[in-house]
Amino acid sequence: MRYYTFALYASADQIKEKTTINLREYAYENTIAAVNNYMYKRLDNDVCFFAYREEGNTTYAVFSYDEKKGAFIDAFSHITGVLKEDFSVNRIKTVPCEITMYQALDFLLEAKRRDFMNLTNRFVDTSNLWTYNYYNSETKSFHFDFKEKIVPEKSSCKNTIYDQAFIDELINIEEHENASDFKGNMVHYVVCGHSIEAVKDMTETLMQSLIRAKRISSRRMEVISEIEPDVYLVQNHLNDIIEGNYGGVVVLDLTEKFGCDPVDYTLTSKYIVNLLKEYRNKCLFVFTYNMDNPGFSYQILPQINKYVIPVMLREGRGDRRAAIRYMKALIKDSAYAEYVGQAGEFMKLFPGNEFTQTDVLMAYEQFESWCLNKNVLHDYNYDMSQEFMLDRDGSTDSSYDKLNKLIGLDIVKKQIESIIALDLVEKERIKHKGKDYQACSMNMIFGGNPGSAKTTVAKLFAGIAKEKGILKSGAFVERGGMDLDGLGCVTAIREAFLAAKGGVLFIDEAYFMVSDTAVTVLIQEMENRREDVIVILAGYNDRIRDFMKINEGLKSRIPHWGDFPDYTADELTDIFKLMIEERGFQVTDEATKETHYIFEKVRNTDNFGNGRYVRNLIDRASQNQAVRLLSDGKDASVIKKKELFQITKDDISLLEEGLKNEREPGTAKKELDNMIGLASVKKIIHKAIAHYKLNKLCIAKGIAREKASLHMVFTGNPGTAKTSVARLFAEILKDEKVLSTGTFVEVGRADLVGDHVGATAPLVKRKFKEAQGGILFIDEAYSLCDSYENGFGDEAINTIVQEMENHRDNIIVIFAGYKEPMQRFLDRNPGMLSRIAFQIEFDDYTTEELCDIAKLMASKKQMTITDAAMDKLRENFDIVREESDYGNGRFVRKTLEEAEMNLAERVLQYKESEITKELITTIEVRDISDMATRKRAVKRIGFAS
């Protein structure tokens, strides 16, 4: 259908006076309504007329006709003929002007409001104004966005920066005018650009050329966008829209509806292609899409060339002179045509040497305000480079100041300073080169353990980014990786980016985005929104590194890594004081020292909570304080204010977070002192502890001292208690507050050397991490030495030396093994020996010490050894001590275990009634093997001469 509006020189009174029709038969006492009803019955079925307004001697009217059944001139002549013959209306005030279906509906509704319309439904049906059924309806929906426009009759713009292929097509249309009565479309179009404005401008210019060449017959353009994926399932009126625009243009935008995924449009794409197939010769199809977000165009466009010839056209670009010419052309067609000469001056506000149509059209949107200020108001300094910055935070302290007031985080603060500096320099580069310059991405990773202030710093960075002009709003949107994965992840990710526009999107534990779809959409949105959203991915360092390997696109879009180290004990203590002060409490000096000791003890445990641990410790202290204050049955109301808000040492306690069950302090020292033998070992260990504690005391009192290292070498034969002493040493150092946890980690070559290139160093570092706050005991350390140089073993040794230096304050490394091979191990790396503070030699036990060890082992099992059995053991010990590597304490244990088996075999020969407790717990001489006999037997094994 085609719709037109025009005006008549006629009024209701004139019509009533001159008409030959009895108007009361059509509408009582309403002349215009009578005319409308009469015309409905009098006109042909495919033509409709109604008047909608009367002003003085003028009546305004609308008429429609079906262009498939007749021509404009026939329909209009038919209407004017009836008006002249039956109502004596001879003069037309304004010629017919084509309007859209929506405009025709508006005029119909106006006629109804004025009581000029008594047959509304009939007029709706005849005029095919099906949109009337959707008027004020809350339940009906098109399932897409629908707009109409009558393209103005004007010459296509010659001074533009259209793409050469588009200009060639305009010339081609002009040279191939439709000189016949051909009713169809030789080609259809695909138009793409960076903005809807550019695509709209190109489509309108294309239509104007087609109309002049008589390739299309209507200037009405129907634009269908925001199409829903299930539009094919419902009553959608797409057929009605296309049917009603015979000879015109139907524009189908292929961008997916917000919140939908392009993959959901498979069946809808087939449905649209079928519409094209059915109506390709009745109207012109123009498919459009955004070059930066092609939507579901990939599903439709490859199919359309089966049925039509598609002409691909794209948005153009040009240099500054072309952009100014384009701007002048736009201004000439506006209300500010008299200021067209200022186009060049206006374009100076936009740096760069190359511009797209979108660039110029976006700039043109600002010309009106610039022009008014320059030529009319003269009141404001209109600086285009100063972008609008949303004021969100009413605090007087800047986010930058708040960041610098945070305790610790020196490395993070420096990194943020460098990012700010980079942005300031990048902005200057953009001023000179405009969009020709591709600025660096500002996306970041915040890696660190829980409670290390990653979220706090991210929030402050959002504020800093606004203050420094990096971002426009300073918005801070926080999401978890799980929130953006799984079903609905596409919508969730895009909504998160939309919410964070102009600010920061903080994705905590980003590695929980495990699906390929989630990661792909994340990368797409980071690229599409790189100018107005900064993304910060946060989580544990190791897991974030693994996450970054999932897709190469992540690494290229996130150039900055913020490493959040765990807080030191001093920093944790400062945080404790600050939190206590914020809660209005006071804390005694003894309580503060106790918290410092606790922080030293627990900060190296797995999953330590940093600032969160401090907060929980204060909560526990408050709870303990409450119990203490009410312990004697005191009424809470009589407690003095000072007591209510004071935390003492008694209130401070461990949270038992990651700690093992502990023995009473001093137990390990007593156990070491009670060990048999090892006099020189005990002496050196006690001296080492004393030396370390004195050094620490001197440093605390301001006396210059280098931080002492306690790395050691234990040499000796097997069974000389090297491992046992090292284990007790770890506990002693914890009790003496030299080490924080007393953790003991024992490793060998298999734990430290990888089986391929790049695997060794991570293994070593992992073991050092396990031993934080304790001792790393490397048994048979010389097994790390390969028979050749620069092997995996050497890589392990080099990494150990490096980590010994890095962790000299919180890890003690003890190397153990035989004396001579250990010396070769120490010589393998030049830096090794300089880092060893003590070399302790574990001598073999004497015969008497071995006997004492045997008695001790037996007593622990509640057993006794007869004097005769002990003499036999003494003989055996004398014999085996002549050998090397006999096992020392291990030999004693093995001998007693063998004696127990002999005892068991002997006792079981008795009757059960004869077996006594004394019998089964006493080792006799006959239970002890004869070592001299065994040695002679061993010598007889082999070939005789």
Side-chain angles (χ1 to χ4, degrees):
M1 299 295 292
R2 299 281 185 84
Y3 306 94
Y4 291 85
T5 182
F6 67 108
L8 305 166
Y9 277 116
S11 65
D13 291 340
Q14 292 172 344
I15 291 172
K16 187 176 181 179
E17 179 182 344
K18 297 181 179 179
T19 184
T20 59
I21 304 300
N22 184 2
L23 296 177
R24 290 198 176 190
E25 292 182 7
Y26 298 95
Y28 183 74
E29 293 184 351
N30 190 320
T31 303
I32 300 299
V35 172
N36 286 342
N37 292 340
Y38 176 79
M39 293 291 287
Y40 175 77
K41 296 179 179 180
R42 178 72 167 77
L43 294 176
D44 295 339
N45 290 335
D46 57 339
V47 179
C48 186
F49 167 94
F50 64 87
Y52 62 88
R53 186 187 308 154
E54 178 193 14
E55 293 178 357
N57 293 327
T58 304
T59 298
Y60 296 90
V62 168
F63 78 90
S64 64
Y65 72 97
D66 188 343
E67 67 272 37
K68 295 187 289 296
K69 297 180 180 180
F72 165 81
I73 189 63
D74 296 330
F76 187 59
S77 298
H78 181 37
I79 291 169
T80 55
V82 174
L83 290 173
K84 180 178 180 181
E85 178 181 348
D86 296 332
F87 299 106
S88 300
V89 176
N90 299 316
R91 299 176 60 195
I92 303 300
K93 186 173 184 179
T94 59
V95 296
C97 174
E98 187 173 5
I99 59 175
T100 67
M101 177 173 55
Y102 273 117
Q103 289 173 317
L105 176 62
D106 287 340
F107 292 141
L108 180 67
L109 295 173
E110 181 178 346
K112 185 177 180 181
R113 289 194 301 272
R114 297 177 183 276
D115 292 329
F116 293 168
M117 184 64 63
N118 297 331
L119 302 172
T120 305
N121 290 331
R122 295 182 182 180
F123 276 92
V124 166
D125 292 340
T126 304
S127 300
N128 197 25
L129 292 174
W130 51 268
T131 52
Y132 177 78
N133 297 321
Y134 288 81
Y135 179 70
N136 285 338
S137 173
E138 296 181 358
T139 58
K140 295 182 178 181
S141 169
F142 289 161
H143 301 279
F144 51 79
D145 186 61
F146 172 47
K147 292 182 174 63
E148 296 181 294
K149 181 175 182 179
I150 302 300
V151 175
E153 293 179 347
K154 64 176 183 179
S155 300
S156 59
C157 184
K158 298 297 183 183
N159 296 318
T160 68
I161 52 175
Y162 286 142
D163 185 73
Q164 186 58 48
F166 184 76
I167 295 173
D168 291 343
E169 177 61 15
L170 295 180
I171 295 171
N172 180 54
I173 292 170
E174 183 178 342
E175 291 177 350
H176 295 86
E177 179 179 341
N178 182 15
S180 66
D181 292 331
F182 174 74
K183 303 294 184 184
N185 298 292
M186 293 181 289
V187 298
H188 295 263
Y189 294 93
V190 177
V191 182
C192 61
H194 293 287
S195 66
I196 189 66
E197 289 79 12
V199 170
K200 177 182 172 184
D201 175 79
M202 294 171 65
T203 304
E204 289 186 12
T205 302
L206 188 66
M207 283 186 67
Q208 289 158 1
S209 292
L210 290 168
I211 290 171
R212 287 195 302 273
K214 300 178 182 178
R215 299 263 287 270
I216 58 175
S217 57
S218 173
R219 292 188 293 112
R220 195 160 101 220
M221 178 171 65
E222 314 277 16
V223 181
I224 300 165
S225 60
E226 293 289 315
I227 301 172
E228 296 178 4
D230 59 351
V231 68
Y232 68 97
L233 290 172
V234 295
Q235 174 57 40
N236 53 52
H237 290 286
L238 277 173
N239 296 67
D240 294 318
I241 292 172
I242 299 172
E243 284 278 7
N245 195 22
Y246 182 83
V249 171
V250 174
V251 179
L252 287 160
D253 181 60
L254 303 182
T255 304
E256 76 274 18
K257 185 178 177 66
F258 180 79
C260 300
D261 196 302
V263 299
D264 297 331
Y265 284 82
T266 302
L267 295 178
T268 289
S269 298
K270 293 181 179 179
Y271 172 69
I272 292 174
V273 171
N274 286 333
L275 289 176
L276 168 69
K277 180 181 177 182
E278 181 179 355
Y279 294 104
R280 55 189 165 177
N281 288 319
K282 297 179 180 178
C283 64
L284 181 76
F285 284 86
V286 177
F287 296 96
T288 67
Y289 66 89
N290 190 305
M291 296 166 71
D292 302 316
N293 180 26
F296 58 102
S297 58
Y298 291 125
Q299 298 188 51
I300 286 185
L301 299 183
Q303 301 182 52
I304 66 176
N305 59 2
K306 298 176 183 177
Y307 310 108
V308 300
I309 300 174
V311 177
M312 303 288 293
L313 303 173
R314 62 181 298 162
E315 174 180 339
R317 61 177 62 238
D319 58 18
R320 174 168 289 277
R321 295 177 64 180
I324 293 173
R325 289 197 301 270
Y326 190 20
M327 179 63 70
K328 286 181 177 180
L330 295 171
I331 296 172
K332 282 180 182 179
D333 291 332
S334 72
Y336 300 92
E338 60 180 301
Y339 302 111
V340 68
Q342 297 176 359
E345 179 184 358
F346 173 66
M347 286 299 293
K348 289 180 181 179
L349 301 174
F350 302 90
N353 297 317
E354 188 176 66
F355 298 84
T356 64
Q357 282 183 251
T358 295
D359 293 336
V360 179
L361 289 167
M362 293 298 99
Y364 173 68
E365 292 295 322
Q366 302 175 62
F367 180 76
E368 178 181 352
S369 56
W370 179 86
C371 186
L372 283 173
N373 181 66
K374 175 177 176 60
N375 300 294
V376 181
L377 299 176
H378 309 289
D379 284 347
Y380 300 97
N381 179 22
Y382 195 83
D383 186 358
M384 300 289 294
S385 64
Q386 297 297 317
E387 297 187 81
F388 175 75
M389 307 297 290
L390 186 61
D391 191 5
R392 299 172 65 92
D393 187 1
S395 172
T396 55
D397 291 339
S398 70
S399 297
Y400 183 77
D401 292 337
K402 290 177 182 177
L403 175 66
N404 286 322
K405 288 178 182 178
L406 290 179
I407 294 168
L409 303 174
D410 293 338
I411 296 175
V412 175
K413 293 171 184 176
K414 287 180 181 178
Q415 288 171 329
I416 289 179
E417 287 278 6
S418 67
I419 291 171
I420 294 170
L422 172 64
D423 182 76
L424 293 174
V425 173
E426 290 283 65
K427 278 185 166 53
E428 288 303 312
R429 291 169 178 155
I430 292 172
K431 284 182 181 179
H432 289 286
K433 291 206 168 187
K435 293 194 175 182
D436 298 341
Y437 182 76
Q438 184 69 48
C440 294
S441 171
M442 305 296 287
N443 300 320
M444 290 178 273
I445 287 174
F446 280 5
N449 289 326
S452 51
K454 298 186 293 294
T455 305
T456 300
V457 172
K459 288 180 180 178
L460 291 175
F461 179 75
I464 293 171
K466 187 196 74 172
E467 292 167 4
K468 301 295 183 180
I470 298 173
L471 292 171
K472 298 178 184 178
S473 72
F476 179 81
V477 175
E478 183 177 1
R479 295 288 188 273
M482 285 186 177
D483 301 329
L484 305 179
D485 196 67
L487 293 174
C489 65
V490 175
T491 300
I493 293 171
R494 289 178 177 171
E495 287 179 349
F497 272 87
L498 183 63
K501 185 175 182 180
V504 168
L505 174 58
F506 180 78
I507 304 178
D508 198 13
E509 296 185 306
Y511 32 75
F512 284 117
M513 299 175 67
V514 296
S515 69
D516 292 339
T517 300
V519 175
T520 301
V521 175
L522 173 65
I523 293 171
Q524 289 174 347
E525 291 301 302
M526 288 169 69
E527 186 63 30
N528 294 340
R529 303 274 188 172
R530 61 179 293 157
E531 294 183 0
D532 60 359
V533 175
I534 291 177
V535 176
I536 299 178
L537 306 182
Y540 293 104
N541 277 311
D542 291 344
R543 298 191 66 179
I544 282 286
R545 286 191 181 95
D546 291 339
F547 175 68
M548 295 295 288
K549 297 175 184 177
I550 292 177
N551 191 307
E552 284 296 322
L554 284 170
K555 196 178 297 184
S556 64
R557 286 167 176 82
I558 308 179
H560 306 291
W561 189 299
D563 192 5
F564 285 69
D566 290 333
Y567 289 105
T568 65
D570 291 338
E571 290 170 342
L572 290 167
T573 305
D574 290 339
I575 293 171
F576 170 78
K577 293 177 182 177
L578 182 62
M579 288 184 177
I580 282 286
E581 183 181 346
E582 288 175 348
R583 295 192 185 195
F585 281 75
Q586 292 182 338
V587 61
T588 64
D589 292 341
E590 291 77 12
T592 302
K593 290 179 182 178
E594 183 66 17
T595 58
H596 188 278
Y597 165 68
I598 289 175
F599 295 146
E600 283 277 15
K601 194 171 188 178
V602 301
R603 61 179 293 270
N604 292 315
T605 56
D606 289 339
N607 300 321
F608 174 62
N610 287 287
R612 297 176 195 171
Y613 185 92
V614 178
R615 185 179 297 109
N616 293 337
L617 185 139
I618 292 174
D619 291 339
R620 174 68 63 82
S622 179
Q623 178 182 337
N624 293 342
Q625 181 219 36
V627 173
R628 174 175 59 82
L629 292 176
L630 298 177
S631 60
D632 56 357
K634 187 186 299 183
D635 189 337
S637 62
V638 301
I639 301 174
K640 295 180 180 179
K641 179 180 178 182
K642 182 178 180 181
E643 292 180 313
L644 279 173
F645 292 95
Q646 187 172 60
I647 300 295
T648 67
K649 181 180 178 181
D650 294 336
D651 304 325
I652 305 297
S653 65
L654 282 165
L655 297 178
E656 297 179 353
E657 183 174 288
L659 297 177
K660 298 177 181 178
N661 293 330
E662 299 178 349
R663 301 193 292 182
E664 285 291 324
T667 303
K669 186 175 184 298
K670 290 178 183 178
E671 192 172 325
L672 175 65
D673 291 340
N674 291 333
M675 288 184 74
I676 295 166
L678 305 175
S680 61
V681 173
K682 297 172 186 176
K683 186 176 180 179
I684 295 175
I685 284 179
H686 290 323
K687 283 185 177 181
I689 295 172
H691 176 67
Y692 186 92
K693 291 174 69 175
L694 179 61
N695 235 30
K696 190 173 181 180
L697 184 62
C698 289
I699 293 173
K701 292 184 177 297
I703 302 172
R705 288 285 189 279
E706 289 187 4
K707 289 186 176 180
S709 169
L710 287 179
H711 300 312
M712 297 181 176
V713 170
F714 284 3
T715 57
N717 288 325
T720 49
K722 298 186 292 297
T723 305
S724 299
V725 170
R727 196 181 301 276
L728 290 172
F729 187 38
E731 189 175 342
I732 292 169
L733 292 175
K734 181 200 66 176
D735 293 342
E736 295 291 344
K737 299 185 179 179
V738 175
L739 292 176
S740 57
T741 65
T743 301
F744 182 80
V745 178
E746 182 178 359
V747 297
R749 177 183 172 94
D751 302 303
L752 301 175
V753 179
D755 57 2
H756 61 273
V757 175
T760 297
L763 286 176
V764 173
K765 292 180 179 180
R766 188 173 297 121
K767 289 301 177 182
F768 269 85
K769 184 176 181 180
E770 288 180 24
Q772 290 285 318
I775 284 178
L776 179 63
F777 183 78
I778 305 178
D779 199 12
E780 297 185 352
Y782 37 76
S783 66
L784 297 174
C785 299
D786 297 316
S787 58
Y788 52 90
E789 293 186 358
N790 300 322
F792 293 159
D794 284 330
E795 182 184 357
I797 295 171
N798 296 338
T799 308
I800 288 169
V801 171
Q802 180 183 347
E803 292 299 300
M804 287 170 68
E805 187 63 28
N806 294 342
H807 299 281
R808 61 180 299 168
D809 293 335
N810 59 4
I811 294 179
I812 292 173
V813 178
I814 297 178
F815 302 98
Y818 294 107
K819 185 175 180 179
E820 292 182 3
M822 189 60 70
Q823 190 59 50
R824 292 196 296 272
F825 165 74
L826 294 175
D827 294 338
R828 189 78 173 197
N829 185 295
M832 179 69 77
L833 196 57
S834 65
R835 289 170 172 78
I836 303 298
F838 300 93
Q839 295 192 42
I840 302 176
E841 185 171 355
F842 286 67
D843 295 329
D844 288 338
Y845 290 105
T846 65
T847 297
E848 289 305 316
E849 288 172 341
L850 292 172
C851 289
D852 290 340
I853 292 172
K855 292 175 184 178
L856 180 62
M857 288 182 177
S859 67
K860 287 183 177 180
K861 295 184 177 183
Q862 297 182 345
M863 301 185 75
T864 59
I865 304 174
T866 65
D867 291 341
M870 186 57 67
D871 292 338
K872 186 69 173 288
L873 282 174
R874 188 176 286 106
E875 290 178 10
N876 287 344
F877 293 153
D878 284 337
I879 293 172
V880 298
R881 287 187 70 249
E882 296 176 359
E883 303 176 2
S884 59
D885 299 347
Y886 71 92
N888 284 282
R890 296 177 192 170
F891 177 79
V892 177
R893 181 180 293 108
K894 182 180 178 182
T895 299
L896 290 181
E897 288 173 351
E898 186 176 352
E900 284 184 65
M901 288 187 287
N902 293 336
L903 169 65
E905 186 178 16
R906 175 172 57 83
V907 167
L908 290 178
Q909 294 176 1
Y910 290 85
K911 295 179 181 180
E912 187 173 347
S913 60
E914 297 174 335
I915 299 176
T916 63
K917 179 178 179 182
E918 183 180 359
L919 182 64
I920 62 176
T921 59
T922 302
I923 297 175
E924 298 181 3
V925 66
R926 51 185 166 174
D927 299 324
I928 306 299
S929 300
D930 189 342
M931 187 58 61
T933 303
R934 182 182 300 181
K935 288 188 68 177
R936 286 195 297 271
V938 170
K939 288 180 181 178
R940 285 199 299 269
I941 295 176
F943 294 99
S945 57

